[in-house]
Amino acid sequence: MQALPRLALLVGSSRHGGNGAGLAEWLSSLLERRLNTLRKAVEIVVVDPTKPPHPVGPVVDGSKVPAQIPDSSSYSSLVIRHWSEFVSSCSAFAIITPEYNAGYPGELKNSLDHLYREWSGKPVMLVTYGGGGGLRCSAALQTVLQGLKMHVVESPVGITLPKQFTGGPERVQPGHVYPEFLSPYEELINKAADTLKDKILVDVKSAEVKDVVRPN
């Protein structure tokens, strides 16, 4: 039986006590509902930035830049080999990340910078959040993703957090009822998910055709 195309949801921040874990759970549930409405069409994997296969930590091997690595087995680090194999196995990505000081978290940038060829040509939808919707983070991150030759889904979603969820005591908590302020963003998420699904299915069909016509 052929494996389902895999969508990896990359969580941008590893900060404890923030909104990231709850928002990732919320986004994952929306993607599951939208992409697998009638049947299981896409495998969705949430990537915790503090656990394998995520390569926690900075890029330390300077013997070769990632663009010079021809395949997963050529990385010097076993951790990076596993990360490369995982990313290579994914058909598409979604990123949910906060805005940190008009940019994006370092652990998210590191996860991207450990690799190069593995990202190329892969579609990605982007969801940012913060007091201003994470718009500056979104703009900066889109430049990076395009530099990796990824296909960024149009109309990235920026979630504006109420003040009590940034400077106050409230947080979007996993396993709890999602706050009402997230409801207006569901339609935007669904629209981006539909575009992402179309790209995934086109790529899968293209790969199937190549397999059929490949000479023995």
Side-chain angles (χ1 to χ4, degrees):
M1 184 177 179
Q2 187 174 358
L4 294 174
R6 174 181 287 172
L7 166 65
L9 171 54
L10 306 183
V11 181
S13 174
S14 57
R15 179 177 288 175
H16 295 292
N19 294 286
L23 285 170
E25 183 185 82
W26 168 77
L27 178 57
S28 176
S29 67
L30 290 179
L31 292 174
E32 186 70 45
R33 192 185 328 162
R34 191 69 175 186
L35 299 179
N36 297 317
T37 305
L38 301 177
R39 60 182 178 84
K40 187 74 172 180
V42 178
E43 177 192 9
I44 300 172
V45 180
V46 179
V47 180
D48 185 329
T50 66
K51 299 177 182 178
H54 193 287
V56 179
V59 180
V60 295
D61 181 9
S63 58
K64 289 184 179 180
V65 297
Q68 296 174 316
I69 304 294
D71 55 64
S72 299
S73 65
S74 299
Y75 289 99
S76 60
S77 164
L78 180 61
V79 172
I80 306 307
R81 288 202 292 272
H82 288 165
W83 180 235
S84 172
E85 290 165 359
F86 173 78
V87 170
S88 296
S89 75
C90 296
S91 299
F93 299 88
I95 296 176
I96 183 161
T97 182
E99 178 176 304
Y100 283 179
N101 303 312
Y104 38 76
E107 55 266 46
L108 175 59
K109 186 64 161 63
N110 284 336
S111 72
L112 297 168
D113 287 344
H114 278 96
L115 310 177
Y116 181 75
R117 62 168 184 83
E118 295 87 343
W119 304 110
S120 181
K122 301 288 181 74
V124 54
M125 65 175 285
L126 183 56
V127 181
T128 57
Y129 59 93
L135 300 183
R136 292 172 296 181
C137 164
S138 179
L141 190 52
Q142 285 181 71
T143 298
V144 173
L145 298 175
Q146 290 162 357
L148 291 169
K149 297 182 174 59
M150 300 187 78
H151 299 307
V152 183
V153 171
E154 294 181 2
S155 302
V157 180
I159 298 173
T160 300
L161 298 178
K163 288 184 178 180
Q164 62 267 33
F165 285 84
T166 54
E170 297 293 327
R171 295 293 182 270
V172 182
Q173 298 281 3
H176 290 65
V177 176
Y178 302 122
E180 186 60 33
F181 77 84
L182 289 174
S183 297
Y185 297 102
E186 292 187 8
E187 184 176 350
L188 299 176
I189 295 292
N190 288 337
K191 182 178 179 180
D194 289 343
T195 302
L196 193 64
K197 186 174 184 178
D198 289 341
K199 291 182 179 293
I200 293 172
L201 295 180
V202 166
D203 289 343
V204 169
K205 289 178 180 177
S206 177
E208 289 174 348
V209 169
K210 288 180 181 178
D211 286 340
V212 170
V213 301
R214 184 176 296 154
N216 295 325

